[in-house]
Amino acid sequence: MLTLNKTDLIPASFILNGVPGLEDTQLWISFPFCSMYVVAMVGNCGLLYLIHYEDALHKPMYYFLAMLSFTDLVMCSSTIPKALCIFWFHLKDIGFDECLVQMFFIHTFTGMESGVLMLMALDRYVAICYPLHYSTILTNPVIAKAGTATFLRGVLLIIPFTFLTKRLPYCRGNILPHTYCDHMSVAKLSCGNIKVNAIYGLMVALLIGGFDILCITVSYTMILRAVVSLSSADARQKAFNTCTAHICAIVFSYTPAFFSFFSHRFGEHIIPPSCHIIVANIYLLLPPTMNPIVYGVKTKQIRDCVIRILSGSKDTKSYSM
């Protein structure tokens, strides 16, 4: 009787098949993807440059925004270049270990995106509810520790994904109907028991997403109570305006995330696979594209800095809010 070693059941590579059912239109799909990726790269790099260069932006809110921009850059760069190679050059092969690395980066930084949005909600809560103690509560060491903890949370919770995926035997082929290596999409190619993968994936989603959404909800509930109690209509309007960009970032991040999460688990036979794959890519591309635009338009300090730099003003260091 022929016996197979475990290594015989681990493929050397996977074939990323792009958007299933839309192979003939993938070239056209690539153009909006490419355009959004260019906007995301330019916008987020520009934000990081501004926050580093402008003394007026050396404040907690903008440090958290810098974390969000860095996270967005890594998140979209982990997937879109490979997706464009599939669409344009039909370079569909991805090595098994390379696939695991991509999976790790995608899930780690999507978890970090959620965590940074939660930290930004806490930042707005402190700024509005405790304005006199804002600078003493959110000191640079506190911000650095919060960012490091958010990153480590993602790393420690996502590392098991790679081991759970690598232990599986793969005897259902190596064609992955996706543009990137998603944890459950890869696991479903296995002929082994993937119940542990599914349960752990759900648990991580609840631990990260559930906890962050709870903190965001509590923060904005307290913010709303504090703003409503203000006597001045101008003060209420100003307080709401400081939260507008962050609320937009939450909507851009969590809306496609919820759709992708629930459709993947409960709408597999209802929603076409092509729709699921496109939304999964939008989930990783929409926040990096829109966040710099929203913060650039809605945040006066960033807008003023951009205008002054574009107009050629040299007095950038002495600018004050």
Side-chain angles (χ1 to χ4, degrees):
M1 183 176 179
L2 179 65
T3 59
L4 296 174
N5 294 326
K6 184 179 178 180
T7 53
D8 295 327
L9 297 175
I10 296 179
S13 64
F14 290 111
I15 297 175
L16 294 170
N17 222 20
V19 184
L22 298 178
E23 287 83 4
D24 295 336
T25 59
Q26 287 186 153
L27 179 62
W28 298 106
I29 295 173
S30 70
F31 291 116
F33 276 35
C34 181
S35 300
M36 292 174 72
Y37 181 61
V38 171
V39 172
M41 293 297 292
V42 173
N44 285 291
C45 288
L47 273 180
L48 288 173
Y49 170 80
L50 277 179
I51 294 169
H52 172 73
Y53 187 73
E54 291 284 344
D55 288 342
L57 303 182
H58 291 176
K59 295 182 179 180
M61 171 184 171
Y62 302 107
Y63 290 147
F64 288 126
L65 180 57
M67 293 182 197
L68 186 67
S69 292
F70 175 76
T71 302
D72 284 342
L73 283 171
V74 177
M75 192 168 69
C76 64
S77 295
S78 300
T79 57
I80 300 304
K82 181 61 180 178
L84 294 177
C85 286
I86 296 170
F87 295 155
W88 288 344
F89 309 114
H90 302 288
L91 299 176
K92 300 183 177 183
D93 282 2
I94 184 170
F96 184 77
D97 291 333
E98 184 183 350
C99 182
L100 294 182
V101 171
Q102 187 188 50
M103 180 197 306
F104 172 78
F105 272 90
I106 292 169
H107 291 297
T108 296
F109 281 90
T110 51
M112 189 171 176
E113 172 101 355
S114 177
V116 173
L117 288 173
M118 180 265 293
L119 294 178
M120 295 175 81
L122 296 177
D123 167 75
R124 293 299 83 205
Y125 164 71
V126 175
I128 293 173
C129 297
Y130 301 98
L132 298 179
H133 304 286
Y134 180 61
S135 59
T136 57
I137 294 175
L138 291 177
T139 60
N140 288 349
V142 170
I143 294 169
K145 289 176 183 177
T148 302
T150 302
F151 174 72
L152 290 177
R153 181 189 69 168
V155 170
L156 294 176
L157 287 175
I158 300 305
I159 279 180
F161 277 172
T162 58
F163 294 105
L164 289 173
T165 305
K166 194 165 187 175
R167 71 180 177 87
L168 294 171
Y170 294 89
C171 48
R172 293 180 178 171
N174 66 337
I175 299 177
L176 195 62
H178 215 307
T179 57
Y180 61 83
C181 292
D182 174 72
H183 171 232
M184 286 309 299
S185 297
V186 174
K188 286 178 180 178
L189 293 179
S190 170
C191 51
N193 188 349
I194 63 171
K195 184 179 291 186
V196 174
N197 295 66
I199 292 174
Y200 185 73
L202 183 61
M203 185 181 73
V204 169
L206 292 175
L207 283 174
I208 294 179
F211 176 77
D212 293 344
I213 291 171
L214 177 63
C215 290
I216 291 171
T217 303
V218 171
S219 296
Y220 272 100
T221 301
M222 301 299 290
I223 288 171
L224 187 61
R225 288 179 58 186
V227 171
V228 170
S229 66
L230 294 174
S231 58
S232 169
D234 290 339
R236 287 195 296 269
Q237 184 65 39
K238 184 177 179 180
F240 277 126
N241 287 341
T242 63
C243 300
T244 303
H246 182 244
I247 293 173
C248 290
I250 292 172
V251 171
F252 291 138
S253 181
Y254 283 113
T255 301
F258 280 136
F259 182 89
S260 182
F261 177 80
F262 287 110
S263 66
H264 192 71
R265 285 162 175 79
F266 307 112
E268 192 171 358
H269 302 293
I270 301 174
I271 300 172
S274 58
C275 181
H276 170 71
I277 301 305
I278 290 174
V279 172
N281 280 274
I282 290 174
Y283 164 48
L284 298 178
L285 191 53
L286 184 63
T289 303
M290 295 306 300
N291 288 342
I293 297 174
V294 170
Y295 274 94
V297 171
K298 291 291 186 180
T299 308
K300 184 178 183 298
Q301 289 76 22
I302 293 177
R303 190 168 64 247
D304 289 346
C305 289
V306 172
I307 292 172
R308 284 178 27 264
I309 289 175
L310 292 178
S311 65
S313 174
K314 296 182 179 180
D315 189 24
T316 56
K317 288 291 184 176
S318 60
Y319 174 74
S320 59
M321 292 177 62

